[in-house]
Amino acid sequence: MVKVKTKFFCTECGYESPKWYGKCPGCGSWNSMVEETEKVVKTQGMSSGLFHTKEKPLPIINIESDKEPRIVTGIGELNRVLGGGVVPGSLVLVGGDPGIGKSTLLLQTSHEMAKEGLRVLYISGEESIRQTKLRAERLGALSPELYVLCESDMESIEASIDDLKPDFLVIDSIQTVYLPEVTSAPGSVSQVRECTARFMRIAKGQGIATVLVGHVTKEGAIAGPRLLEHMVDCVLYFEGERHHSYRLLRAVKNRFGSTNEIGIFEMNESGLTEVINPSELFLSERPLGVSGSTVVASMEGTRPMLVELQALIAATHFPSPRRMATGVDHHRMGLIIAVLEKRMGMFLQNQDAYVNLAGGVKLDEPAVDLAIAVSIASSFRDLPTKPDDVIFGEVGLTGEVRAVSRAEQRVREAAKLGFKRVILPEKSMKGWQSPSGIQLIGVNTVADALTVALD
Ligand SMILES: Nc1ncnc2c1ncn2[C@@H]1O[C@H](COP(=O)(O)OP(=O)(O)O)[C@@H](O)[C@H]1O
Ligand SMILES: [Mg+2]
């Protein structure tokens, strides 16, 4: 007889308990426990680890290490985010809001893989075969080695995988897959967890590069337990503003590469196209010679990116002024306003302050500080900035400008796009050669930077 048990799971960390808690004893988050009934069925190796080899421990110097082979997909931006391509046998989770383009991205990737002669299996639990075909026609993703299956029963999926032996597998989405022996509904914590564990074993055991699509909750996390993120090798988020056509692919976890890189795509009728030069995109709508607008040179991983930064300072109608930051850290903005007030004598307490990075990008490195300071001062004093200036540098609490990394790449990107001057920390100017045709102005304080940028 099968015993039915009721259990409670934490959706954040996967903590399991026979009773409900308001605060999860595992991770301390509030109101994260959900109830689930589970038929207890003996499943081999489900929770006792993924690898069952009867091997002895080896000295690390005796282990053979070929560099992990990678399948280089036809999509350069995806390769970049994954650290050079898809690793066979890896399990990748792609999360994102509904309608952002996850299915589009993966169908296009599948097509590119199939074009290389790999066998690809695309399993959709959300759309019918016909819908998938229509989408593939629109994207031009028709190739004979691309197989499509509409299925959500884990056991049939496993059978098809054994049958077809694909090199690349896409599951769209993990929330639709279910194991019949687990009684809770598809998408619930235990279903998602058990199915992911199975896909993990398929991926590792048969060396199939596997991509799972995951839905995102209102809070922006991948639905199901956080545990899911711990189980897989890579977690990618596909993001973008609904009203803008471009999309960012960002790695938040990667066992085979860095998590600093982002991939940039543009969405149009015929699918996603790669954005090779993001700076041009982020500067395309920039107004020239107005107050409050500057261009900042930022690094995303190993790639420099120029982005327009805008500030608006306007008299407030509220007892306490508004401070709104989009795309940059709200706390950094507060700090920079405090520095401008205290060190530069600007009276901003009765002014609302809005800071916005154009195009919906997010930059969280301190090198954007100086551009925020110049933009705010420019708007406050209503002095226009120079359209040919690029600014970067970290601002300290005494109003000093501190060195930032990779100054050379930032300057080269500015030169490449035809900017004439770069205002940068003086301490970042040593040890490299400036490209010709661009003037470098080293500054040590915010005051110096304002003198140069707003004279
Ligand atoms: N027939 C179509 N023509 C043009 N755009 C479409 C068509 N069908 C879907 N789209 C657009 O493609 C985008 C991506 O959809 P999709 O890849 O299904 O997203 P997800 O899988 O993340 O939910 C959607 O924003 C949608 O507006
Ligand atoms: Mg989809």
Side-chain angles (χ1 to χ4, degrees), residues 97-104 127 135 138 267 269:
D97 288 328
I100 206 74
K102 301 179 294 297
S103 305
T104 306
E127 286 167 19
R135 185 200 296 272
R138 179 164 57 88
M267 173 72 98
E269 187 64 8

Side-chain angles (χ1 to χ4, degrees), residues 294-345:
T294 54
V295 175
V296 61
S298 178
M299 296 297 296
E300 277 289 349
T302 54
R303 173 160 57 177
M305 224 162 68
L306 302 187
V307 185
E308 190 207 341
L309 190 143
Q310 296 188 337
L312 181 66
I313 306 297
T316 187
H317 299 291
F318 302 101
S320 64
R322 277 168 171 254
R323 302 282 182 249
M324 281 226 334
T326 316
V328 295
D329 183 14
H330 184 258
H331 299 289
R332 299 282 318 166
M333 170 187 167
L335 182 148
I336 289 159
I337 289 177
V339 169
L340 290 174
E341 289 195 321
K342 183 81 179 174
R343 308 286 168 194
M344 304 295 304

Side-chain angles (χ1 to χ4, degrees), residues 209-288:
T210 306
V211 180
L212 307 177
V213 173
H215 286 245
V216 169
T217 60
K218 259 199 263 112
E219 291 81 38
I222 291 176
R226 258 290 143 76
L227 201 84
L228 202 60
E229 296 193 8
H230 300 308
M231 290 164 88
V232 301
D233 295 314
C234 300
V235 180
L236 309 182
Y237 275 92
F238 203 41
E239 324 172 314
E241 300 271 324
R242 198 160 290 271
H243 309 291
H244 287 119
S245 64
Y246 59 84
R247 306 278 183 266
L248 303 181
L249 186 66
R250 195 184 288 279
V252 295
K253 166 179 175 177
N254 192 351
R255 286 189 182 144
F256 307 108
S258 111
T259 52
N260 293 328
E261 303 288 349
I262 62 169
I264 304 174
F265 297 90
E266 208 171 343
M267 173 72 98
N268 51 38
E269 187 64 8
S270 55
L272 292 157
T273 45
E274 299 174 55
V275 175
I276 308 296
N277 197 337
S279 302
E280 273 171 16
L281 175 76
F282 293 126
L283 295 177
S284 58
E285 290 172 56
R286 182 168 66 112
L288 301 179

Side-chain angles (χ1 to χ4, degrees), residues 92-382:
V92 178
L93 179 65
V94 177
D97 288 328
I100 206 74
K102 301 179 294 297
S103 305
T104 306
L105 175 70
L106 290 170
L107 197 58
Q108 280 184 265
T109 310
S110 298
H111 172 60
E112 292 291 336
M113 299 287 234
K115 265 202 319 203
E116 300 283 309
L118 299 168
R119 183 169 287 180
V120 182
L121 178 55
Y122 181 96
I123 299 178
S124 176
E126 309 207 321
E127 286 167 19
S128 68
I129 301 200
R130 217 159 277 119
Q131 273 173 305
T132 309
K133 168 83 194 245
L134 282 176
R135 185 200 296 272
E137 274 173 355
R138 179 164 57 88
L139 304 177
L142 301 170
S143 63
E145 281 298 287
L146 172 55
Y147 291 80
V148 179
L149 172 70
C150 281
E151 182 58 76
S152 44
D153 182 336
M154 186 71 211
E155 269 154 20
S156 322
I157 290 177
E158 280 180 327
S160 317
I161 294 170
D162 285 343
D163 234 26
L164 195 68
K165 302 209 176 351
D167 304 297
F168 184 66
L169 174 67
V170 176
I171 310 296
D172 190 0
S173 65
I174 185 67
Q175 274 89 3
T176 56
V177 182
Y178 70 93
L179 267 165
E181 67 241 33
V182 179
T183 43
S184 49
S188 65
V189 179
S190 37
Q191 284 286 9
V192 167
R193 200 178 56 164
E194 298 299 311
C195 293
T196 307
R198 287 247 184 151
F199 283 120
M200 190 69 172
R201 264 182 299 144
I202 293 171
K204 302 283 164 203
Q206 306 182 29
I208 303 173
T210 306
V211 180
L212 307 177
V213 173
H215 286 245
V216 169
T217 60
K218 259 199 263 112
E219 291 81 38
I222 291 176
R226 258 290 143 76
L227 201 84
L228 202 60
E229 296 193 8
H230 300 308
M231 290 164 88
V232 301
D233 295 314
C234 300
V235 180
L236 309 182
Y237 275 92
F238 203 41
E239 324 172 314
E241 300 271 324
R242 198 160 290 271
H243 309 291
H244 287 119
S245 64
Y246 59 84
R247 306 278 183 266
L248 303 181
L249 186 66
R250 195 184 288 279
V252 295
K253 166 179 175 177
N254 192 351
R255 286 189 182 144
F256 307 108
S258 111
T259 52
N260 293 328
E261 303 288 349
I262 62 169
I264 304 174
F265 297 90
E266 208 171 343
M267 173 72 98
N268 51 38
E269 187 64 8
S270 55
L272 292 157
T273 45
E274 299 174 55
V275 175
I276 308 296
N277 197 337
S279 302
E280 273 171 16
L281 175 76
F282 293 126
L283 295 177
S284 58
E285 290 172 56
R286 182 168 66 112
L288 301 179
V290 296
S291 69
S293 161
T294 54
V295 175
V296 61
S298 178
M299 296 297 296
E300 277 289 349
T302 54
R303 173 160 57 177
M305 224 162 68
L306 302 187
V307 185
E308 190 207 341
L309 190 143
Q310 296 188 337
L312 181 66
I313 306 297
T316 187
H317 299 291
F318 302 101
S320 64
R322 277 168 171 254
R323 302 282 182 249
M324 281 226 334
T326 316
V328 295
D329 183 14
H330 184 258
H331 299 289
R332 299 282 318 166
M333 170 187 167
L335 182 148
I336 289 159
I337 289 177
V339 169
L340 290 174
E341 289 195 321
K342 183 81 179 174
R343 308 286 168 194
M344 304 295 304
M346 289 185 198
F347 192 75
L348 296 165
Q349 284 147 32
N350 56 1
Q351 306 283 327
D352 288 335
Y354 304 91
V355 171
N356 184 23
L357 273 181
V361 259
K362 293 192 194 85
L363 300 177
D364 56 4
E365 60 157 3
V368 296
D369 288 358
L370 192 59
I372 299 177
V374 172
S375 284
I376 291 177
S378 158
S379 176
F380 178 64
R381 294 185 178 158
D382 210 9

